[in-house]
């Protein structure tokens, strides 16, 4: 069965998932955004400008890099890294914010807002706001402000206002709640730049289509490098944007696909962010998907060392891919992610983001069980500079 | 006939407007909430919007967010909300009760089970803030065979052609959001509201109520003539936040004040809603 180009339907449904579960005040804005999206994505001039900025400003294409010492360490399949950490601002998030920034400008919106967890999407949005001369507010939970301090400095330096969100546990979910509330009151002149493949339609498809450059490039690069497609793809999944970006162009190919969620302190402790693995179907932030929730439909807090994975929801297209059995979703806990963070630094001279460390950890596990002639492509979605202080302190505390 | 329709018909015959009151169920706890709700209805709420608390109320301002958090901390659940509705129904056989909710707690409860249990509890309709007509494909069949209309929201941002599509799917009354923003904050633009309310009344036979940002007797007097009723929520919930276990008589006093502002020309309004001793 072919999956690409079949989803979503005109109302943003990915099978039983997705849609637009928002208050009426936002509906006209979402309809307007969807019309603008369709017109932009069919406009060669828009796409040419997008591609030019990805090349000249973001630094694309990012390389695919064979990780020889990591491969030897795993003792099985060959591990290749798609180096999104080498983009301007240091993570894949910039691919999407360039696209949405161009779209905001095309729609005549001069003010943009964003939510952020790890701060990478906030930095990428603030960067684009500076580049395009837009006014920018970034909503960020107080706990994330604490653990991602360097990114807060970056956003401020780039001219954005960082709005602290103290509600709930002060993490990504709370930041998104507050950004949506702000947008309800400012919807007539403000563009909301959502950073992941979640949220109401058209965001899941909009973000996927701006992020699929990861997978489109990687296909060609793997063929150039090994003369064929990889046997397996691995990417981390919080909301799921780097994973959708890598996976999407391969969905109809004979390639095994693995999504990696955060197991936090361990699945059994209940303190995790394994939404697809452990959650159930529900509606949050405008979309129907898997959700960490209690028996009464109250959304539960997610837990992960990685702020970018610390989210109790997940993009609706991932829910569909799980249901179709097309992607296998596994999880990696905080401890293993931190060990892998150190391992990649020592073996390959790459300090990965804690988010990406989850993907590398799962790839190591998979590689160990496979033959040396097989190839695994991992999305190294971002670099770890932002995590240094927090990760090093936690590594010491855990005695790793 | 549905109690909502009956109530608006009765009020229309009396040339009066409806006072629709929103109160978060279970805030600050079950027993206090029950006392607040009973006294608020006694004091003159015509249509009760019983708020189902949700962990992530993205359409609400701080006042109702905090109310939901208080209620959830005290163990409020959908079954307990239905129990509250049932208790209010027992004391007030004619007052319409609308469950005001986000979609997820209802979806989780099970939509068919909800329709059955809500009917048994004496609930008269649903207002689901994050369920636009485009996404009501599961809810509509679950409600078929029950007298449980879906009350629809219309926003100042809603274009006229979309208004028509929404009103086709609506029941009970139409809830016209009077400003762009979350609940409980902001100022009112009377000309714009008047124009929107007039458009709606041309398009639909359903009564129109105005809500979001209405908190004082002055607001009520300003808007009463423009529609069939007004919705007051955050202003009542704020009293619960400030006075907790002592809130019930104070909420009732606020309701009487709003009620009096709504019916300034009705002789004997004070007799219909006598002040508590």
């Amino acid at each position: 069965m072919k999956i690409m180009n079949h989803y979503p339907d005109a109302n943003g449904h990915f099978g039983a998932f997705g849609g637009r579960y928002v208050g009426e005040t936002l509906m006209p804005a979402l309809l307007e955004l969807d019309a603008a999206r369709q017109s932009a994505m069919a406009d060669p001039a828009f796409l040419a400008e997008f591609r030019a900025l990805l090349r000249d400003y973001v630094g694309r294409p990012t390389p695919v890099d064979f990780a020889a010492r990591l491969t030897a360490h795993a003792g099985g399949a060959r591990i290749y890294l798609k180096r999104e950490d080498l983009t301007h601002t240091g993570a894949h998030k910039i691919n999407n914010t360039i696209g949405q920034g161009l779209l905001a400008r095309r729609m005549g919106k001069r003010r943009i807002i964003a939510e952020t967890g790890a701060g990478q999407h906030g930095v990428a949005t603030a960067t684009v706001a500076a580049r395009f001369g837009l006014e920018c507010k970034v909503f960020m939970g107080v706990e994330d402000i604490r653990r991602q301090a360097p990114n807060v400095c970056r956003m401020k330096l780039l001219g954005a206002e960082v709005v602290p969100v103290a509600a709930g546990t002060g993490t990504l979910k709370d930041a998104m709640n507050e950004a949506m509330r702000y947008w309800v009151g400012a919807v007539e002149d403000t563009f909301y730049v959502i950073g992941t493949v979640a949220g109401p339609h058209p965001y899941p498809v909009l973000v996927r289509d701006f992020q699929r450059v990861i997978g489109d490039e990687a296909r060609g690069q793997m063929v150039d490098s090994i003369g064929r497609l990889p046997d397996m793809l691995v990417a981390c999944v919080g909301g799921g944007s780097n994973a959708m970006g890598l996976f999407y162009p391969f969905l109809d190919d004979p390639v095994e696909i693995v999504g990696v969620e955060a197991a936090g302190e361990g699945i059994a402790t209940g303190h995790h962010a394994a939404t697809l693995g452990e959650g159930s179907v529900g509606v949050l932030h405008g979309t129907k998907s898997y959700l960490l929730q209690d028996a009464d439909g109250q959304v539960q807090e997610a837990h992960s060392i990685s702020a970018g994975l610390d989210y109790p929801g997940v993009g609706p297209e991932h829910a569909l891919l799980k249901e179709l059995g097309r992607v296998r979703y596994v999880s990696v806990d905080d401890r293993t992610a931190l060990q892998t963070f150190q391992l990649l630094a020592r073996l390959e001279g790459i300090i990965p983001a804690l988010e990406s460390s989850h993907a590398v950890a799962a790839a190591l596990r998979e590689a160990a069980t496979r033959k040396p002639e097989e190839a695994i492509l991992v999305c190294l979605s971002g670099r770890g500079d932002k995590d240094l202080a927090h990760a090093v302190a936690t590594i010491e505390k855990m005695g790793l | 006939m549905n109690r909502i329709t009956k109530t608006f018909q009765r009020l229309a015959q009396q040339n009066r407007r409806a006072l629709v009151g929103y109160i978060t169920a279970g805030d600050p706890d079950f027993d206090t909430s029950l006392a607040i709700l009973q006294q608020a209805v006694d004091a003159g709420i015509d249509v009760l919007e019983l708020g189902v608390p949700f962990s992530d109320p993205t359409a609400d301002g701080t006042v109702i967010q905090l109310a939901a958090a208080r209620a959830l901390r005290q163990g409020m659940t959908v079954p307990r909300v239905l129990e509250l509705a049932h208790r209010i129904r027992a004391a007030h056989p004619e007052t319409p009760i609308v469950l005001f909710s986000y979609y997820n707690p209802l979806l989780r409860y099970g939509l068919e089970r909800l329709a059955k249990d809500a009917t048994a509890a004496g609930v008269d309709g649903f207002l689901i803030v994050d369920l636009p007509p485009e996404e009501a494909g599961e809810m509509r069949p679950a409600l078929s065979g029950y007298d449980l209309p879906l009350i629809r929201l219309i926003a100042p941002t809603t274009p006229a052609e979309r208004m028509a599509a929404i009103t086709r799917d609506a029941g009970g009354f139409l809830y016209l959001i009077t400003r762009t923003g979350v609940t409980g904050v902001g100022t009112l633009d009377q000309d714009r509201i008047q124009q929107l309310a007039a458009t709606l009344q041309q398009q639909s036979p359903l009564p129109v109520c105005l809500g979001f940002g209405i908190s004082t007797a002055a607001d009520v007097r300003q808007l009463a003539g423009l529609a069939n009723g007004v919705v007051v929520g955050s202003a009542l919930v704020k009293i619960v936040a400030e006075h907790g276990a002592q809130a019930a008589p104070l909420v009732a006093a606020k309701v009487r004040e709003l009620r009096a502002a709504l019916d300034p020309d009705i002789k004997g309004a004070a007799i219909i809603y006598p002040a508590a001793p």
Side-chain angles (χ1 to χ4, degrees):
Chain A
M1 192 190 75
K2 299 285 182 206
I3 299 174
M4 274 178 78
N5 305 319
H6 282 251
Y7 303 97
D9 70 11
N11 282 315
H13 295 115
F14 296 86
F17 306 103
R20 271 179 294 236
Y21 294 86
V22 296
E24 179 54 29
T25 306
L26 293 182
M27 277 302 286
L30 293 172
L31 294 167
E32 181 197 357
L33 175 60
D34 194 35
R37 169 188 77 91
Q38 292 186 35
S39 127
M41 297 308 267
D43 177 356
F46 178 88
L47 294 174
E49 191 175 9
F50 177 57
R51 286 193 203 105
L53 280 162
L54 289 185
R55 184 190 64 220
D56 303 335
Y57 187 63
V58 175
R60 301 204 74 92
T62 59
V64 163
D65 180 21
F66 173 55
R69 292 194 354 113
L70 193 70
T71 296
H73 178 86
R78 294 163 70 88
I79 300 174
Y80 293 80
L81 304 173
K82 176 64 173 164
R83 297 288 306 275
E84 293 299 297
D85 60 316
L86 295 176
T87 54
H88 177 44
T89 73
H92 73 289
K93 293 291 185 187
I94 189 85
N95 302 328
N96 167 52
T97 59
I98 293 277
Q100 291 198 41
L102 284 174
L103 197 52
R105 209 175 60 180
R106 183 183 168 100
M107 292 172 74
K109 311 261 181 184
R110 305 296 307 164
R111 298 164 63 202
I112 61 176
I113 58 166
E115 82 294 333
T116 197
Q120 290 302 111
H121 174 58
V123 168
T125 305
T127 299
V128 164
R131 176 80 181 194
F132 295 162
L134 305 171
E135 204 183 297
C136 178
K137 269 189 213 305
V138 180
F139 295 84
M140 188 171 189
V142 291
E143 166 64 12
D144 289 339
I145 287 177
R146 190 185 66 74
R147 55 184 171 173
Q148 307 283 313
N151 275 341
V152 177
C153 293
R154 285 188 189 103
M155 285 184 270
K156 288 182 178 166
L157 197 57
L158 291 161
E161 182 192 345
V162 178
V163 183
V165 178
T169 50
T171 58
L172 180 54
K173 171 179 87 115
D174 311 298
M176 198 151 176
N177 284 341
E178 211 49 43
M180 287 183 82
R181 286 184 191 116
Y182 179 86
W183 197 36
V184 173
V187 64
E188 283 157 301
D189 68 350
T190 300
F191 188 105
Y192 182 12
V193 181
I194 290 185
T196 190
V197 289
H201 180 64
Y203 285 101
V205 61
L206 180 69
V207 177
R208 179 196 77 194
D209 288 348
F210 288 139
Q211 290 292 2
R212 63 172 288 176
V213 64
I214 303 172
D216 285 331
E217 284 176 5
R219 271 178 77 89
Q221 289 166 321
M222 288 306 292
V223 171
D224 287 347
S225 172
I226 63 171
R228 61 182 179 85
L229 297 180
D231 300 285
M232 178 184 278
L233 307 175
V234 181
C236 64
V237 179
S241 70
N242 88 86
M244 267 330 297
L246 176 66
F247 298 169
Y248 188 70
F250 292 90
L251 288 177
D252 294 334
D253 294 317
V255 174
E256 192 177 344
I257 306 182
V258 177
V260 187
E261 297 191 297
E265 296 167 22
I267 298 293
T269 65
H271 292 178
H272 58 76
T275 309
L276 289 160
E278 302 296 315
S280 50
V281 176
V283 171
L284 177 67
H285 294 149
T287 193
K288 185 188 274 188
S289 184
Y290 277 76
L291 200 58
L292 296 178
Q293 59 181 331
D294 68 13
D296 202 52
Q298 306 299 338
V299 182
Q300 292 174 313
E301 302 296 346
H303 294 266
S304 171
I305 178 85
S306 144
L309 302 182
D310 203 350
Y311 181 62
V314 66
E317 194 162 13
H318 284 292
L320 172 73
L321 294 173
K322 171 191 159 84
E323 196 179 80
L324 294 175
R326 179 63 188 96
V327 177
R328 177 160 57 93
Y329 292 92
V330 301
S331 64
V332 163
D333 65 14
D334 289 349
R335 170 176 285 269
T336 311
L338 283 165
Q339 285 167 337
T340 309
F341 174 81
Q342 293 171 286
L343 189 71
L344 196 67
R346 288 174 196 168
L347 289 181
E348 298 291 346
I350 298 169
I351 299 173
L354 285 175
E355 292 78 12
S356 321
S357 301
H358 288 73
V360 175
L364 281 169
R365 224 158 52 191
E366 297 290 338
T369 68
R370 283 163 189 274
K371 296 194 273 300
E373 55 272 26
E374 292 187 51
I376 297 179
L377 175 63
V378 187
C379 189
L380 198 75
S381 54
R383 67 178 182 222
D385 309 39
K386 69 186 173 69
D387 296 313
L388 281 183
H390 182 58
V392 169
T394 313
I395 285 166
E396 276 175 23
K397 204 168 74 189
M398 292 173 93
L400 297 174
Chain B
M1 187 194 293
N2 187 288
R3 290 184 195 91
I4 299 171
T5 310
K6 220 189 286 181
T7 297
F8 279 100
Q9 284 184 356
R10 172 177 58 77
L11 290 168
Q13 283 159 11
Q14 298 167 343
N15 194 29
R16 294 168 63 230
R17 316 284 169 188
L19 179 61
V20 182
Y22 168 94
I23 294 174
T24 302
D27 171 31
D29 57 62
F30 186 93
D31 292 337
T32 310
S33 185
L34 180 61
I36 291 168
L37 291 159
Q38 302 279 30
Q39 292 188 39
V41 174
D42 286 337
I45 283 182
D46 299 301
V47 178
L48 181 63
E49 285 183 0
L50 189 56
V52 178
F54 182 49
S55 53
D56 295 82
T58 50
D60 284 301
T62 313
V63 172
I64 293 178
Q65 285 173 47
L66 293 174
R70 285 191 298 271
L72 291 174
R73 269 199 304 276
Q74 293 300 315
M76 205 59 195
T77 59
V78 173
R80 298 280 279 164
V81 175
L82 292 175
E83 194 182 329
L84 264 180
H86 187 70
R87 303 275 290 271
I88 300 158
R89 171 60 60 236
H92 299 92
E94 299 304 325
T95 303
I97 301 173
V98 173
L99 282 197
F100 183 107
S101 187
Y102 289 81
Y103 190 42
N104 198 54
L106 307 183
L107 186 65
R108 186 75 173 157
Y109 187 83
L111 300 179
E112 274 156 36
R113 178 180 164 217
L114 177 75
K116 179 168 166 280
D117 294 354
T119 299
V123 169
D124 302 290
F126 293 102
L127 197 164
I128 307 172
V129 249
D130 55 352
L131 193 74
E134 287 87 343
E135 303 298 347
E138 294 171 303
M139 193 69 186
R140 273 189 222 104
L143 296 181
S144 80
Y146 295 93
D147 190 7
L148 289 168
L150 278 177
I151 288 138
R152 286 282 169 214
L153 295 153
I154 292 94
T157 51
T158 308
E161 66 277 11
R162 185 170 164 78
M163 257 186 206
I166 294 172
T167 54
R168 269 200 300 278
D169 173 65
F173 63 93
L174 297 170
Y175 188 135
L176 175 58
I177 299 172
T178 43
R179 24 170 297 282
T180 50
V182 293
T183 54
V185 279
T187 51
L188 303 161
D189 175 349
Q190 188 164 3
D191 290 345
R192 196 165 177 196
I193 297 165
Q194 183 157 20
Q195 188 196 340
L196 289 164
T199 309
L200 271 183
Q201 280 163 333
Q202 278 164 17
Q203 288 187 352
S204 168
L206 292 175
V208 177
C209 293
L210 310 176
F212 276 43
I214 299 171
S215 62
T216 65
D219 294 338
V220 168
R221 268 193 293 274
Q222 184 195 343
L223 295 174
L226 304 183
N228 306 95
V230 297
V231 188
V232 179
S234 297
L236 304 178
V237 173
K238 208 169 161 194
I239 298 171
V240 182
E242 285 163 4
H243 299 279
Q246 281 75 50
L250 298 165
V251 171
K254 177 79 178 180
V255 169
R256 274 191 299 276
E257 179 197 331
L258 296 170
R259 183 70 258 180
L262 202 52
D263 297 325
D265 308 325
I266 304 293
K267 238 180 137 183
I271 297 163
I272 302 171
Y273 298 105

